[in-house]
Amino acid sequence: MIQDSAEEWSVKHVTKKNDAVQKSEPRNIVHDFYEKFASSSEAGSDLLSKFAKEHDERFMLLCSPLAPVGSYERGGRDVIRSVSAGSGCGVPPLRTEEGGRSTMFMVSNRQMWSEKFSMSRSAGENHTNMCRMTYEQVTRHEVYDVSESESEEEDAVPLPIGSPAPSETSSITASENEEHILAIEADSRRVKAYKIAMELLTTERSYVAVLRLIDQIFHFRVDQENRAHNMFPQEMIPQMFSNIKSIYQFHHEFLLPQLEARMTNWDQEQKIGDIMKNFAPFLKLYTEYVKNFDNAMNIISALAAKNQRFTAIMDEIHRMPECGNLTLSHHMLSPVQRIPRYELLLKDYLKKLSDDSFDKEDTKKALHLVSTAANHANEAMKKIDKFKQLLEVQEKISGAVDLVSPTRELLKEGKIVKISARSGDHQERYLFLFSDLLLLCSSRLLPAAYRLRAKFWVEGLQVLEGDNLETANTFYIRDDHKNVELYTQTVEEKTSWLDALCVAIEELYKRKSSFKLGTKCSSPVDAQKPPNYIKMDCIHKCMDCGGSFGVMKRKHHCRACGSVVCGKCSNQKYPLPFEDNRLSRVCRPCHQKLLQQRSASPDRNDSDAENMTTSFSRGKGLLEVSADAECVLSGYLQLKTNKSWVRRWFALHPDFVLYSFRSHTDQRAMTATPVPGYAVVKVSYCKGESFGEKDKVFKMYHTKKMYYFQAESPDVVDKWVCALQMAAQAELPSS
């Protein structure tokens, strides 16, 4: 059936092979037909019909499945007529129902532009404007012309001569392509598996070099020097290096040679699973090493700090090229990290093996054994990661502080700004907060390098709210010897640092709860009558945890024993009879005793159990004050800063604290400054300062800080000076 929309005419002819024909005949017949088609003005269908009748025998030759073209033999399938704009002719053989071949001859009614013949094995595309017909249909002229517009829409794809029909080709080509793709994927997986095996060998060589450094250089040298100079008891040598010699011998004499031999003969034996399966049980050697690691680090750190000869030996070895500028502590991390590395490599290797690989089962067994050994080291690895952080920080500060400690952990680090106490300059700093230590550093010219400026122990550290009126987000860190004023760029950063510092302090005292400092509640607790309260003015440290009181650590009375404690040590409540059974603040020792007494009491009321364990929630911060809160005096004032005058809303509260806000609608204060201790005066003359209207200016100052304020009128100045002078004396103005 011929469609009207067809652009090209096709001829299908059933042929048989003629063994006596010349090899050049297929090319000649195509060339002859092209010359007639190009020079004739007849319709393509008429011309094709006449040519087919005149050259019947030649057409039968052309349809032979083994007909050669030129010097190429393609089984009669792969000759392509290539012409510009899609015009061309082709003779692809098609299978008949009887199993033979027929030919599709395509002709265009447009002039051909080229005589170029090309060879291809690809199957021809089935065009929508192509119609197929048998030889009989051609002789009956059952073909029609197609419109020029339709022929131009799809006219750029040449049709192969001698190719299978598209319906047949699709099934043949699909199966061949699928087999080809599977073969490519299999080759790719084998290449990747080989690369992983090579990575295992390469890392094993590097690892054995590290083991040799630890055992044959560090271990041997320390043992030799200790025998000669008796630096410490000889029993400490095994505690320092554990069973590193056994681990080194296992890898150097057994595992590494086996891997090298296998990779050398990889073409004959492409597997490593059997080697790892056979040697995986020996990885239990690492259990002893990992368990002893913390103890070894403690001994090495202690000797390095106290024994000069030991330190000199370490420094001498560290300068050796094979050390790579790394310390013994760095190198001793390698055995702990090696088993997880085996596990990762075997997992990757197993993924690249095909399902029918002869190495798959051995690799699975090896992976199971290695994973079992790795599980024993996982807990130690968590500690090692923290330990590695300590070493990195220690390198950043050029070893100014020995940070190696099994109980130390890096909690937080980041940039911060310090306000100089002498000049008031703002200086960029970098903080490292550990579980027991706080380091304040400054940047050096080298990248990621810092210089230690100050060191604070978390035990005894005080964190105080800032009182700087000019700069927002300030706070103080203080111990018995130093006091540093810091600030952050945002409120969120400040809150994050304060929270981290408070958590570090709290966790430290929890760890030290077994040997609490300060006076404890030793007297018996009598819940029936009030205690004798200790005067708060005489107590400067918490009587439970020993922490110093300050702005961030307030004083509280235990309502059961009368001792003075901080909020964290008295965050429990208990219903006391002499308080009409209201929930009252009690310290931790009293709370425990009261719970024990209540549990032993025969008339215990279980309904109060919830009340007994209720704890205080953390109160609001010092700056969590709204601008419209009740106050003694408030209003807008101009504050002189380093750059210019800044307009702010100020409020003096009954607790003698002067708060500043950006506007009178703010719900949180920018700064809070306790006024007691300051002097407040009007400005008449100030050397080096010039003010336009001196009667509207006053200042508040003490030995280290000075603030200038400007009001709208002299009357407002008088009100503020009077109120602030009384607040400086801890007095409130009379109503």
Side-chain angles (χ1 to χ4, degrees):
M1 185 66 184
I2 308 301
Q3 300 179 2
D4 293 339
S5 62
E7 175 190 2
E8 299 165 324
W9 292 266
S10 303
V11 179
K12 185 167 64 175
H13 184 63
V14 179
T15 61
K16 294 183 180 180
K17 179 180 178 182
N18 189 346
D19 297 331
V21 73
Q22 296 180 3
K23 290 185 178 182
S24 62
E25 184 62 14
R27 181 169 183 173
N28 293 335
I29 188 173
V30 174
H31 186 268
D32 292 345
F33 174 74
Y34 167 71
E35 289 182 343
K36 288 192 175 184
F37 183 84
S39 61
S40 176
S41 60
E42 295 183 51
S45 58
D46 296 336
L47 182 64
L48 176 60
S49 178
K50 292 179 181 180
F51 190 85
K53 288 180 180 180
E54 294 172 359
H55 304 84
D56 184 74
E57 292 183 1
R58 298 177 72 188
F59 262 80
M60 293 184 64
L61 167 66
L62 187 61
C63 296
S64 172
L66 295 177
V69 177
S71 60
Y72 298 91
E73 291 192 9
R74 300 301 185 196
R77 293 180 299 172
D78 300 324
V79 182
I80 296 178
R81 175 64 173 173
S82 177
V83 293
S84 301
S87 300
C89 63
V91 193
L94 303 175
R95 294 185 182 276
T96 62
E97 295 179 358
E98 293 77 18
R101 287 179 179 268
S102 63
T103 299
M104 182 176 70
F105 201 97
M106 182 193 74
V107 184
S108 173
N109 63 344
R110 302 173 61 192
Q111 183 178 359
M112 298 185 193
W113 293 1
S114 174
E115 295 186 25
K116 178 181 178 182
F117 286 85
S118 61
M119 313 302 297
S120 171
R121 290 189 178 274
S122 62
E125 293 188 20
N126 187 16
H127 297 279
T128 58
N129 60 353
M130 180 195 304
C131 55
R132 299 195 185 104
M133 59 192 75
T134 64
Y135 172 74
E136 290 76 15
Q137 289 175 317
V138 174
T139 58
R140 291 196 301 270
H141 303 281
E142 294 178 357
V143 293
Y144 300 88
D145 289 343
V146 293
S147 65
E148 186 71 9
S149 61
E150 290 176 337
S151 65
E152 289 177 356
E153 289 177 357
E154 301 180 10
D155 58 355
V157 182
L159 182 68
I161 296 177
S163 299
S167 59
E168 177 191 359
T169 304
S170 60
S171 60
I172 297 175
T173 306
S175 60
E176 291 178 353
N177 287 344
E178 184 177 358
E179 293 177 0
H180 184 61
I181 292 173
L182 291 176
I184 293 176
E185 291 180 352
D187 291 341
S188 176
R189 291 166 72 96
R190 282 193 292 269
V191 170
K192 292 179 179 178
Y194 170 76
K195 289 182 178 179
I196 296 173
M198 280 302 301
E199 183 180 357
L200 176 62
L201 174 60
T202 303
T203 56
E204 185 68 15
R205 287 170 177 164
S206 302
Y207 177 57
V208 170
V210 172
L211 292 178
R212 179 185 176 279
L213 178 65
I214 299 173
D215 180 56
Q216 300 297 308
I217 298 180
F218 279 104
H219 187 187
F220 176 79
R221 182 69 183 280
V222 171
D223 183 48
Q224 186 182 47
E225 292 290 336
N226 189 54
R227 293 178 185 275
H229 302 283
N230 195 22
M231 298 181 293
F232 46 81
Q234 191 66 20
E235 305 86 55
M236 294 181 66
I237 298 291
Q239 297 179 28
M240 292 170 58
F241 296 98
S242 188
N243 60 336
I244 192 67
K245 184 176 290 295
S246 300
I247 294 175
Y248 169 64
Q249 290 176 348
F250 163 68
H251 287 272
H252 178 257
E253 299 178 8
F254 297 98
L255 183 55
L256 179 59
Q258 290 278 348
L259 290 175
E260 288 179 333
R262 180 61 52 83
M263 297 310 299
T264 302
N265 301 314
W266 182 260
D267 293 338
Q268 289 75 30
E269 201 169 7
Q270 299 183 4
K271 59 179 182 177
I272 57 171
D274 57 332
I275 297 178
M276 298 305 297
K277 182 191 70 172
N278 295 334
F279 287 108
F282 293 95
L283 297 180
K284 294 180 180 178
L285 288 169
Y286 285 83
T287 303
E288 179 182 348
Y289 183 89
V290 172
K291 288 182 177 179
N292 185 68
F293 183 80
D294 286 346
N295 183 46
M297 292 298 100
N298 286 335
I299 294 175
I300 293 173
S301 299
L303 290 175
K306 298 178 180 179
N307 195 304
Q308 295 182 356
R309 184 177 292 276
F310 180 84
T311 303
I313 296 171
M314 292 294 104
D315 291 341
E316 181 181 348
I317 300 176
H318 291 162
R319 288 192 292 269
M320 297 175 63
E322 49 264 53
C323 265
N325 295 323
L326 298 177
T327 63
L328 173 61
S329 301
H330 277 87
H331 292 300
M332 291 188 71
L333 282 172
S334 297
V336 182
Q337 298 171 332
R338 188 56 182 168
I339 297 180
R341 184 68 180 274
Y342 285 141
E343 186 178 16
L344 292 176
L345 289 172
L346 285 176
K347 285 181 179 178
D348 292 341
Y349 179 74
L350 184 61
K351 291 177 182 178
K352 306 308 177 186
L353 297 178
S354 59
D355 294 336
D356 57 349
S357 174
F358 50 83
D359 199 22
K360 200 174 187 68
E361 289 302 319
D362 285 342
T363 304
K364 286 182 178 179
K365 293 178 182 178
L367 179 59
H368 173 72
L369 294 173
V370 172
S371 298
T372 302
N375 290 335
H376 293 290
N378 278 343
E379 291 301 321
M381 280 298 298
K382 294 178 182 178
K383 295 182 180 179
I384 296 307
D385 291 338
K386 298 176 181 178
F387 177 74
K388 192 174 181 180
Q389 284 183 325
L390 298 180
L391 292 175
E392 291 175 354
V393 175
Q394 184 166 310
E395 291 179 356
K396 289 179 180 179
I397 61 176
S398 304
V401 179
D402 184 10
L403 299 177
V404 178
S405 173
T407 59
R408 184 170 294 148
E409 177 184 354
L410 179 63
L411 302 180
K412 185 177 176 62
E413 61 177 297
K415 293 181 179 180
I416 206 161
V417 183
K418 172 182 175 290
I419 300 178
S420 174
R422 294 182 180 178
S423 62
D425 295 338
H426 293 198
Q427 304 164 346
E428 291 188 0
R429 293 290 184 263
Y430 201 90
L431 276 180
F432 292 99
L433 174 61
F434 301 92
S435 53
D436 62 338
L437 187 65
L438 178 66
L439 301 181
L440 179 65
C441 305
S442 61
S443 299
R444 304 180 67 179
L445 296 178
L446 298 176
Y450 302 95
R451 176 178 298 169
L452 181 63
R453 294 289 185 176
K455 179 174 68 173
F456 300 85
W457 294 102
V458 172
E459 183 179 0
L461 179 68
Q462 299 181 49
V463 183
L464 311 176
E465 184 62 64
D467 60 354
N468 195 310
L469 276 176
E470 296 181 6
T471 307
N473 308 318
T474 61
F475 63 94
Y476 292 94
I477 52 175
R478 178 186 301 170
D479 62 10
D480 295 337
H481 308 286
K482 298 176 291 295
N483 182 30
V484 179
E485 184 179 12
L486 306 170
Y487 75 89
T488 61
Q489 300 297 333
T490 64
V491 176
E492 291 75 15
E493 290 179 5
K494 174 185 176 181
T495 303
S496 177
W497 272 110
L498 292 181
D499 290 343
L501 288 166
C502 290
V503 168
I505 294 172
E506 182 178 4
E507 293 298 324
L508 179 66
Y509 283 117
K510 282 183 179 179
R511 293 194 298 269
K512 293 180 175 293
S513 59
S514 58
F515 47 98
K516 295 175 184 177
L517 304 175
T519 306
K520 297 182 181 179
C521 175
S522 57
S523 58
V525 179
D526 187 358
Q528 303 300 323
K529 60 181 182 180
N532 295 322
Y533 296 108
I534 300 174
K535 292 183 179 181
M536 287 188 176
D537 295 341
C538 303
I539 305 299
H540 302 288
K541 291 186 178 183
C542 175
M543 299 177 67
D544 187 20
C545 68
S548 300
F549 292 117
V551 177
M552 302 292 291
K553 188 184 286 289
R554 301 296 183 87
K555 300 178 181 180
H556 300 279
H557 268 133
C558 172
R559 309 302 293 181
C561 67
S563 60
V564 180
V565 291
C566 64
K568 294 177 182 178
C569 295
S570 59
N571 61 350
Q572 299 86 15
K573 286 185 177 182
Y574 192 90
L576 298 173
F578 62 86
E579 296 279 358
D580 297 330
N581 286 324
R582 290 178 305 198
L583 293 175
S584 304
R585 183 191 294 265
V586 294
C587 63
R588 285 179 293 190
C590 287
H591 188 255
Q592 295 175 359
K593 292 181 181 181
L594 290 170
L595 287 179
Q596 293 173 358
Q597 294 174 9
R598 188 176 184 86
S599 61
S601 176
D603 56 347
R604 174 185 174 186
N605 185 2
D606 292 335
S607 63
D608 295 334
E610 182 178 354
N611 292 336
M612 292 188 301
T613 58
T614 303
S615 299
F616 281 106
S617 60
R618 185 174 179 179
K620 292 184 178 180
L622 185 62
L623 299 179
E624 299 298 325
V625 177
S626 62
D628 58 355
E630 182 181 356
C631 60
V632 176
L633 182 62
S634 63
Y636 279 105
L637 295 172
Q638 296 282 345
L639 174 66
K640 188 178 186 304
T641 64
N642 292 332
K643 298 180 180 179
S644 62
W645 290 87
V646 179
R647 188 170 184 262
R648 291 183 185 174
W649 179 269
F650 289 90
L652 178 62
H653 282 225
D655 58 357
F656 316 117
V657 176
L658 180 63
Y659 292 91
S660 69
F661 303 83
R662 286 187 173 86
S663 71
H664 65 280
T665 59
D666 286 356
Q667 297 300 312
R668 188 179 189 278
M670 291 179 59
T671 63
T673 305
V675 179
Y678 277 86
V680 183
V681 296
K682 294 181 181 180
V683 174
S684 58
Y685 169 78
C686 182
K687 185 178 180 180
E689 298 287 350
S690 60
F691 303 105
E693 301 180 45
K694 296 183 177 62
D695 57 344
K696 296 182 181 180
V697 178
F698 66 95
K699 67 177 180 180
M700 184 174 73
Y701 66 95
H702 63 55
T703 55
K704 293 185 178 180
K705 292 186 178 180
M706 182 179 299
Y707 303 107
Y708 288 93
F709 301 88
Q710 186 174 0
E712 296 178 353
S713 66
D715 294 337
V716 176
V717 171
D718 293 338
K719 290 181 180 180
W720 276 105
V721 170
C722 179
L724 291 173
Q725 285 178 346
M726 296 189 68
Q729 302 298 323
E731 298 177 357
L732 293 176
S734 58
S735 56

